[in-house]
């Protein structure tokens, strides 16, 4: 399996030049003196397989449109009514002022949550304590819930299309290898504190954490809806509303969670769990640590992911540190 690390050319030969990348692997990188240190190891002209395995920007846009069309479990227009209210200017997002007296979600059709991928996703959300620096205790039942969620998402056309693409690009030799890696990269524990196994990619991105008095991560609309319904999240404003007139939409949010503030918490709205899980996985594998430019319904959107660099699993593979939609 190829891990396209941002400082390596493994799996990136002939990847298009982008000024956002810390080093490059295209044919002109030598003339720019910007090649990654292992360029000659992986991208020698005779290594045609390495070139074939590179994921181009055009391929990312094509496969992301496939995933967008395959999101059969997403919310329909009459399933959700949101009330975005105040739109914050760029210099207002740090004010910590509630400019929106009403909740963000005016209505959600909770029948959505009985679908297998939703139900198995929701069961995972109460498995974490949000404070970093406190060791997570993972029970046998919680491990089983992880397996059930992965089993359910892998039944969907969306995740099968994602696997087919990554298999074609030599990232995984079998669906089981893909499944095993998903469990490690998303649910494997690492330390954001003082050595405690207190965090994972899934907890950070989907459930949310609190670190140094601020909300960290927390980019999921379903989690937001339930906590807002319970009176634990207070919606303040939004600074970005995506161009989509159907779901999934994208919002950049300001909110308070039990008194802890999130200055910009971008999130897909109305997508299925497998869509968000799959798109973030795609970008983490293809463009870790870099902006990942996709196309959804003919509109451009970019995802930012970061790898956890202080510990690894397998043969030097990285856990997911975070993943989120870039909101302008």
């Amino acid at each position: 399996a190829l891990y396209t690390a941002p400082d390596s050319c493994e799996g990136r030969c002939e990847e298009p030049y982008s000024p956002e990348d810390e080093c490059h692997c295209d044919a002109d990188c030598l003339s720019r003196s910007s090649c990654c240190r292992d360029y000659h190891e992986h991208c020698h002209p005779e290594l045609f397989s390495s070139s074939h395995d590179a994921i181009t920007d055009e391929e990312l846009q094509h496969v992301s449109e496939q995933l967008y069309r395959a999101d059969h479990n997403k919310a329909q227009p009459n399933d959700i009514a949101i009330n975005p209210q105040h739109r914050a200017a760029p210099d207002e997002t740090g004010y910590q002022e509630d400019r929106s007296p009403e909740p963000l979600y005016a209505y959600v059709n909770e029948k959505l949550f009985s679908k297998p991928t939703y139900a198995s996703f929701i069961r995972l959300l109460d498995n974490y304590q949000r404070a970093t620096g406190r060791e997570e205790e993972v029970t046998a039942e919680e491990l089983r819930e992880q397996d059930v969620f992965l089993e359910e998402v892998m039944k969907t056309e969306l995740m099968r299309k994602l696997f087919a693409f990554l298999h074609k690009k030599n990232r995984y030799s079998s669906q089981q290898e893909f499944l095993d890696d998903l469990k490690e990269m998303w649910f494997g524990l690492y330390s954001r504190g003082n050595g405690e196994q207190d965090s994972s990619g899934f907890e950070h991105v989907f459930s949310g954490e609190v670190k140094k008095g601020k909300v960290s991560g927390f980019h999921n609309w379903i989690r937001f809806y339930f906590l807002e319904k319970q009176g634990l999240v207070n919606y303040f404003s939004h600074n970005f509303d995506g161009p989509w007139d159907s779901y999934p939409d994208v919002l950049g949010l300001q909110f308070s969670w039990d008194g802890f503030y999130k200055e910009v918490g971008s999130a897909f709205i109305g997508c299925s769990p497998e869509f968000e899980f799959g798109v973030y996985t795609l970008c983490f594998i293809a463009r870790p640590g870099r902006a990942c430019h996709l196309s959804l319904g003919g509109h451009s959107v970019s995802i930012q992911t970061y790898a956890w660099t202080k510990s690894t699993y397998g043969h030097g593979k990285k856990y997911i540190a975070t993943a989120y939609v870039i909101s302008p």
Side-chain angles (χ1 to χ4, degrees):
L2 298 178
Y3 171 72
T4 55
D7 61 349
S8 171
C9 280
E10 185 174 6
R12 292 179 55 202
C13 298
E14 297 184 2
E15 184 179 275
Y17 169 80
S18 171
E20 298 166 341
D21 295 345
E22 62 182 83
C23 63
H24 305 98
C25 306
D26 60 298
D28 296 326
C29 71
L30 290 170
S31 61
R32 291 194 308 271
S33 299
S34 67
C35 298
C36 298
R37 51 180 169 68
D38 57 1
Y39 172 77
H40 290 287
E41 176 185 349
H42 295 291
C43 302
H44 196 269
E46 284 77 23
L47 298 179
F48 297 114
S49 61
S50 294
S51 300
H52 172 75
D53 294 336
I55 297 174
T56 67
D57 286 347
E58 291 76 17
E59 287 172 326
L60 279 175
Q61 292 173 9
H62 178 71
V63 72
S64 58
E65 285 288 3
Q66 286 188 320
L67 302 185
Y68 181 80
R69 290 192 297 271
D71 190 11
H72 305 306
N73 287 327
K74 68 181 179 182
Q76 300 304 306
N78 59 350
D79 286 329
I80 299 177
I82 59 173
N83 184 15
Q85 301 166 81
H86 181 74
R87 181 159 186 165
D91 61 350
E92 293 180 330
T93 59
Y95 284 0
Q96 302 192 35
E97 295 179 5
D98 185 357
R99 303 281 185 93
S100 302
E102 301 297 325
L104 173 62
Y105 288 95
Y107 170 75
V108 172
N109 178 7
E110 295 195 2
K111 290 182 180 179
L112 280 172
F113 304 143
S114 64
K115 295 183 177 184
T117 56
Y118 284 83
S120 58
F121 173 82
I122 291 166
R123 282 194 290 271
L124 294 169
L125 295 177
D126 65 357
N127 290 352
Y128 303 100
Q129 50 187 354
R130 66 185 181 186
T132 58
R134 297 176 60 188
E135 184 123 2
E136 294 288 349
E137 296 182 6
V138 184
T139 67
E141 177 61 24
E142 289 171 349
L143 289 172
R144 176 59 187 156
E145 288 173 353
Q146 295 172 11
D147 290 336
V148 170
F149 171 70
L150 292 171
E151 289 167 6
E152 292 298 339
V153 298
M154 286 307 302
K155 293 176 184 177
T156 66
E157 179 187 350
L158 188 153
M159 289 297 288
R160 290 197 299 270
K161 284 185 177 295
L162 175 59
F163 167 70
F165 174 75
L166 295 174
H167 175 66
K168 180 181 178 181
K169 287 296 178 180
N170 197 33
R171 276 12 180 220
Y172 299 98
S173 60
S174 68
Q175 185 168 303
Q176 187 61 51
E177 183 186 6
F178 180 46
L179 194 63
D180 292 344
D181 199 39
L182 287 173
K183 186 166 185 176
E184 288 287 352
M185 75 168 72
W186 279 107
F187 294 102
L189 293 174
Y190 50 81
S191 174
R192 290 184 192 261
N194 299 313
E196 302 87 352
Q197 300 292 90
D198 63 344
S199 187
S200 68
F202 186 92
E203 177 187 5
H204 181 86
V205 172
F206 295 107
S207 184
E209 299 179 297
V210 172
K211 183 177 182 180
K212 297 181 179 179
K214 295 182 179 180
V215 177
S216 182
F218 196 152
H219 299 286
N220 178 254
W221 76 271
I222 300 170
R223 173 71 161 164
F224 190 103
Y225 167 73
F226 279 116
L227 290 178
E228 185 178 61
K229 183 180 178 182
Q230 295 166 34
L232 299 175
V233 159
N234 182 16
Y235 170 71
F236 282 12
S237 56
H238 71 287
N239 65 297
F240 174 75
D241 189 351
W244 295 271
D245 55 9
S246 61
Y247 296 115
D249 197 358
V250 175
L251 280 181
L253 311 174
Q254 291 72 54
F255 61 91
S256 172
W257 179 17
D258 259 356
F260 300 102
Y261 188 62
K262 182 71 173 181
E263 184 171 342
V264 179
S266 59
F268 285 109
I269 308 293
C271 66
S272 69
E274 60 266 29
F275 174 84
E276 198 168 10
F277 191 71
V279 166
Y280 289 156
T281 298
L282 169 66
C283 284
F284 181 69
I285 291 170
R287 301 286 189 272
R290 293 169 282 157
C292 176
H293 304 301
L294 307 179
S295 178
L296 303 179
H299 296 288
S300 298
V301 64
S302 297
I303 305 294
Q304 180 71 54
T305 67
Y306 288 104
W308 188 253
T309 59
K310 297 180 182 179
S311 55
T312 62
Y313 67 91
H315 299 289
K317 300 194 78 171
K318 303 292 198 305
Y319 300 103
I320 291 175
T322 193
Y324 55 88
V325 189
I326 299 174
S327 56

